[in-house]
């Protein structure tokens, strides 16, 4: 038993005790105020450097893209015209829809109650696709709430809430699955993250029609996400007769690499 | 005082890593400054300093990552001890940059596997969720290249922190 008096043993025991204490304190929630404080200080420091970095990035981007701007402007003008027409058509359809709903005594489509949040940090370990936002329990954010970018593009889900900050898992994280359907054909399937870059749309039966460019919208089936949020666009389809289901790769509609301001849907 | 300066040094490096990752990542991959610092500290600093660095970096990484608290701390501690053990084999080659790069590449691979196995143990004990090792390994080569690029700047940063530790704590670090 003499070994317990050796320095090596005492040192190892001290480290073991410290790590165990850290894990237990974290599990019991005792560390939450410390964690929240560190996340706040860390987020503020990261934002300061990140904003400077973002400025440099934008300057270089503009210098490189200046040549393309003219042709891009023409394309965008054309796109605006097309979208204006589409918008007018949709407005008319919405009015018609509302009139029909009234006639059928349906409930009016409810609009979301949104909490604006700012992105503070992303997971520096790179093992998970998560971000930390600047509002938490004190702003009535709850675990499981959906997070969207401004026009209704799904970004992720709140997975942990602290007093003044919250952790959001992005849709590109493999641990998150989203029930979605193809807006064009109505084909249902399950979306999950793929290498943190894109999304995989799985479990689509062979009789469903799915093609590149199709848009995917949340179905609201599992209750995890409200129905009607735009998730992404089909970038490629993989279909083989030997496979039980079709598979499609989807690029997220929200720019998940440049997230700044988001909205949490109040539950 | 010595460990406070080391802690501040680690904090600043992690902040820079996160800020750069948010703006300049390539396919969601970015250099791991924290890991590079640990590799350098394990090779050049004393055992106590290496352990302190692993504890501080690990706890900070646990706080800011979505993995269960403790995963990064344990992974970093094991990694530092492994590098120290391996370091005995090439003690004469400490100043050799190729040897450093070799240790760094081995550390990157070991780090991925360690983090996965520790998080898997946590997941099996019901203490949190694990992550996909396959998905992570697909980007390991890119991270290794980026880590190799930042290895020397991080080494210079460590020299700066060491000088500060020497000046304010009056203890020799390297």
């Amino acid at each position: 038993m003499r070994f317990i008096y050796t320095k090596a043993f005492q040192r190892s025991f001290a480290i073991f005790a410290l790590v165990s204490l850290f894990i237990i304190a974290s599990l019991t929630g005792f560390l939450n105020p410390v964690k929240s404080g560190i996340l706040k200080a860390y987020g503020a420091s990261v934002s300061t450097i990140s904003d400077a970095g973002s400025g440099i990035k934008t300057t270089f981007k503009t210098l490189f893209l200046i040549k393309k701007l003219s042709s891009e402007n023409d394309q965008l003008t054309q796109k605006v015209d097309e979208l204006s027409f589409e918008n007018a058509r949709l407005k008319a359809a919405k009015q018609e829809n509302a009139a029909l709903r009234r006639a059928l005594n349906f409930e009016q489509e409810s609009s979301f109650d949104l909490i604006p949040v700012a992105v503070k940090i992303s997971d520096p370990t790179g093992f998970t696709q998560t971000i930390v936002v600047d509002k938490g329990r004190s702003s009535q954010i709850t675990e499981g709430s959906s997070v969207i970018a401004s026009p209704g593009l799904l970004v992720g889900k709140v997975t942990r809430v602290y007093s003044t900050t919250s952790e959001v898992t992005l849709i590109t994280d493999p641990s998150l699955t989203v029930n979605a359907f193809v807006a064009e054909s109505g084909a249902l399937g399950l979306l999950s993250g793929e290498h943190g870059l894109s999304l995989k749309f799985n479990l689509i039966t062979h009789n469903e029609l799915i093609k590149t460019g199709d848009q995917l919208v949340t179905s609201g089936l599992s209750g995890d996400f409200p129905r009607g949020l735009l998730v992404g666009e089909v970038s490629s389809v993989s279909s083989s007769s030997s496979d039980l289901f079709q598979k499609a790769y989807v690029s997220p509609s929200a720019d998940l690499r440049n997230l700044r301001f988001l909205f949490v849907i109040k539950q | 005082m010595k460990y406070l300066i080391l802690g501040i040094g680690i904090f600043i490096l992690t902040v820079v890593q996160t800020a750069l990752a948010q703006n300049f990542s390539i396919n969601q991959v970015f250099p791991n400054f924290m890991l590079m610092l640990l590799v350098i500290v394990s090779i050049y600093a004393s055992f106590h300093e290496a352990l302190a660095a692993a504890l501080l970096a690990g706890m900070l990484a646990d706080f800011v990552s979505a993995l269960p608290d403790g995963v990064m701390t344990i992974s970093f501690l094991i990694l530092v001890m492994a590098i120290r053990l391996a370091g005995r084999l090439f003690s004469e080659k400490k100043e050799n940059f190729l040897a450093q790069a070799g240790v760094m590449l081995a550390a990157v691979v070991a780090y991925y596997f360690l983090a996965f196995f520790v998080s898997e143990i946590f997941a099996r004990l019901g203490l949190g969720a694990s992550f996909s090792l396959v998905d992570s390994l697909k980007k390991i080569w890119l991270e290794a290249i980026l880590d190799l690029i930042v290895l020397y700047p991080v080494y210079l940063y460590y020299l700066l922190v060491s000088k500060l530790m020497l000046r304010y704590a009056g203890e020799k670090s390297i």
Side-chain angles (χ1 to χ4, degrees):
Chain A
M1 284 296 276
R2 273 192 175 179
F3 73 97
I4 62 165
Y5 298 110
T6 60
K7 267 193 175 177
F9 178 81
Q10 284 169 356
R11 208 182 289 154
S12 310
F13 183 77
I15 293 169
F16 176 76
L18 196 67
V19 174
S20 307
L21 207 67
F22 174 65
I23 296 168
I24 292 165
S26 167
L27 287 172
T28 51
F30 187 69
L31 273 182
N32 278 358
V34 183
K35 204 169 176 176
S36 188
I38 287 180
L39 280 177
K40 218 172 174 184
Y42 191 79
S45 316
V46 169
S47 292
T48 314
I49 302 175
S50 187
D51 289 347
S54 177
I56 297 167
K57 190 183 170 188
T58 313
T59 312
F60 277 104
K61 237 182 178 177
T62 313
L63 283 172
F64 284 119
L65 290 175
I66 217 148
K67 280 183 187 172
K68 289 182 186 170
L69 284 178
S70 174
S71 63
E72 207 172 286
N73 191 34
D74 291 341
Q75 282 174 3
L76 286 174
T77 313
Q78 197 188 336
K79 192 97 183 165
V80 166
D81 292 343
E82 283 172 18
L83 288 172
S84 303
F85 170 70
E86 183 78 10
N87 197 22
R89 206 173 58 82
L90 287 172
K91 268 182 187 167
K94 194 180 175 185
Q95 276 171 357
E96 191 185 356
N97 187 19
L100 287 169
R101 276 171 180 274
R102 269 198 303 273
L104 290 165
N105 284 330
F106 273 0
E107 269 184 48
Q108 200 71 357
E109 224 175 294
S110 63
S111 57
F112 298 125
D113 199 357
L114 303 173
I115 306 165
V117 291
V119 177
K120 284 289 162 195
I121 50 171
S122 53
D123 184 353
T125 61
F127 291 129
T128 57
Q129 302 292 312
T130 51
I131 51 169
V132 173
V133 294
D134 67 341
K135 280 179 188 159
R137 206 173 292 115
S138 55
S139 303
Q140 291 174 308
I141 289 178
T142 49
E143 240 172 66
S145 306
S146 306
V147 181
I148 58 168
S150 67
L153 313 176
L154 185 67
V155 167
K157 188 170 145 184
V158 176
T159 42
R160 247 183 254 181
V161 186
Y162 303 103
S163 59
T164 52
T165 50
S166 305
E167 190 181 277
V168 175
T169 302
L170 302 179
I171 47 172
T172 44
D173 192 284
S175 68
L176 209 68
T177 46
V178 183
N179 268 292
F181 68 94
V182 180
E184 282 79 1
S185 64
L188 278 164
L190 266 186
L191 269 166
S192 58
E194 178 90 341
H195 323 314
L197 298 169
S198 62
L199 298 155
K200 201 160 65 182
F201 191 43
N202 257 322
L203 303 177
I204 320 153
T205 49
H206 278 285
N207 55 350
E208 302 279 14
L209 191 69
I210 182 163
K211 58 184 190 304
T212 310
D214 280 356
Q215 289 190 317
L216 290 176
V217 179
T218 52
S219 65
L221 278 180
S222 63
D224 281 356
F225 300 97
R227 189 184 165 87
L229 297 173
L230 185 61
V231 189
E233 205 177 274
V234 175
S235 54
S236 65
V237 182
S238 146
S239 176
S240 152
S241 53
S242 59
D243 290 337
L244 211 57
F245 297 102
Q246 294 186 83
K247 199 163 59 178
Y249 290 95
V250 176
S251 9
S253 295
D255 184 3
L256 300 178
R257 291 178 201 182
N258 294 304
L259 296 172
R260 288 279 179 270
F261 300 101
L262 301 170
F263 296 93
V264 176
I265 300 176
K266 245 190 203 175
Q267 279 190 323
Chain B
M1 188 65 180
K2 190 167 99 169
Y3 295 120
L4 181 71
I5 295 169
L6 184 66
I8 294 169
I10 289 169
F11 184 82
I12 293 170
L13 201 67
T14 317
V15 165
V16 172
Q17 178 185 321
T18 314
L20 289 180
Q22 275 170 207
N23 289 298
F24 302 103
S25 65
I26 304 165
N27 285 343
Q28 300 279 63
V29 182
F30 42 87
N32 196 335
F33 291 135
M34 219 193 296
L35 180 63
M36 292 305 98
L37 185 75
L38 282 183
V39 169
I40 290 161
V41 169
S42 307
I43 296 173
Y44 291 107
S46 66
F47 187 57
H48 278 116
E49 260 177 51
L51 281 184
L55 271 174
L56 292 167
M59 282 180 183
L60 185 60
D62 276 327
F63 278 142
V64 298
S65 87
L67 292 171
D69 289 343
V71 169
M72 299 310 294
T73 310
I74 295 171
S75 306
F76 280 163
L77 279 170
I78 297 173
L79 190 69
V80 161
M81 286 181 198
I83 297 173
R84 292 289 302 189
L85 276 175
R88 288 183 186 171
L89 302 173
F90 69 102
S91 52
E92 288 97 38
K93 294 176 184 169
K94 257 187 184 180
E95 301 300 328
N96 186 340
F97 190 75
L98 274 178
Q100 269 184 40
V103 173
M104 183 230 80
L105 289 173
V108 171
V109 178
Y111 167 66
Y112 272 78
F113 280 96
L114 271 173
F116 173 73
F117 285 121
V118 177
S119 69
E120 196 63 24
I121 291 168
F122 271 65
R124 299 235 167 146
L125 292 172
L127 302 176
S130 184
F131 63 89
S132 164
L133 180 67
V134 180
D135 278 354
S136 299
L137 286 179
K138 279 177 183 162
K139 48 190 184 181
I140 196 170
W141 61 272
L142 184 56
E143 195 194 308
I145 293 169
L146 294 174
D147 286 348
L148 196 60
I149 294 167
V150 301
L151 184 63
Y152 191 61
V154 175
Y155 174 67
L156 294 179
Y157 177 78
Y158 174 67
L159 287 183
L160 180 77
V161 175
S162 283
K163 269 182 195 164
L164 289 173
M165 282 160 76
L166 191 63
R167 185 183 296 173
Y168 294 106
E171 285 176 61
K172 198 166 174 4
S173 171
I174 293 179

